[in-house]
Structures are given as C-alpha cells and as structure tokens.
Amino acid sequence: SDFRMDRWHTGRFVLIGDACHAFLPTGAFGSSMALESACVLADELSSTDLQRIQNALQQYFERRKPRVDKLQTAARRMLKMTMVSNPFLAWARNKLINVVFFKPVVGQMKKLHEEPV
C-alpha cells in the first residue's frame, strides 16, 4: 500500500523514500523516487550549515512533495485500471489496453519518469 505524510522531518531527523512516501507497485516509482529524494536532500544539505538545517529540511520537503503526490496519484489510477475482479471488465480492459490505451499509458508513464527532479 501507499501512504502520504504531511511532514517528513522533525528537529534534525528526516525521513526519505518509503519511510515518508511509499508507492503502490503499480506505478513502478518507489525506488526511483527514493533516489530522487536522496539527491534533493543531499543538494539541500550541501548548501547549508548547522544553524539553518531546519530550513534545508523544509526545502527538501517542499521540493519533493508536489512530485511525490503527483506520482502517487498516477500509481493509484493505474491500480484502479489494472486491478478489476469482474471477469468481463478484465477482458474488456485487456482488449482496450491492447487496442487503444497501451501507447498513451506507456507514454504518460514515460513522461512522468522523465520529468526533472
């Protein structure tokens, strides 16, 4: 399952990756998002000193949160589309994906993965 948190740090303690923004496996975003977050956190921490560490941690959160929310929403949409229990709906989904949606869905996922961090 996934979850969203309103805060990823307190004091000098900070969460990263699945600890603060777990993803559903349907989007295949989890590990790449953790790596992106690590890079952004490193960037913020490298440009501050101990007196302003709180600001750096808040900047990390503010830089990452919108992208994480966007991709979690995309993964939830993918789950709704892929996980149907009705056999007829599953058959129809498979036919539609092969005929109509495969290229646009893959294109959208590729676009989301290629967005700048």
Side-chain angles (χ1 to χ4, degrees):
S1 73
D2 70 348
F3 62 89
R4 297 180 187 204
M5 295 177 67
D6 294 330
R7 191 168 180 179
W8 299 353
H9 66 89
T10 185
R12 291 169 59 180
F13 178 79
V14 64
L15 298 173
I16 193 166
D18 281 354
C20 58
H21 55 67
F23 279 82
L24 293 168
T26 53
F29 294 118
S31 59
S32 62
M33 291 294 100
L35 289 170
E36 284 184 15
S37 290
C39 290
V40 171
L41 180 59
D43 181 53
E44 291 297 334
L45 292 175
S46 70
S47 62
T48 195
D49 56 33
L50 289 177
Q51 285 72 38
R52 291 185 278 282
I53 199 165
Q54 293 298 314
N55 294 340
L57 298 179
Q58 186 61 31
Q59 282 300 113
Y60 152 71
F61 175 78
E62 290 174 9
R63 282 177 60 186
R64 294 297 297 146
K65 184 74 166 134
R67 179 163 165 78
V68 165
D69 286 349
K70 181 179 180 179
L71 295 179
Q72 281 183 325
T73 298
R76 288 175 182 178
R77 264 191 262 121
M78 289 294 292
L79 179 67
K80 287 179 184 177
M81 188 171 83
T82 59
M83 305 302 276
V84 293
S85 59
N86 180 300
F88 175 75
L89 291 177
W91 174 85
R93 176 208 56 216
N94 294 345
K95 293 298 179 189
L96 286 172
I97 285 175
N98 288 329
V99 174
V100 179
F101 295 114
F102 185 73
K103 285 184 182 180
V105 168
V106 169
Q108 180 186 21
M109 298 305 281
K110 184 178 177 186
K111 182 180 171 187
L112 289 171
H113 277 288
E114 292 174 346
E115 283 184 356
V117 179

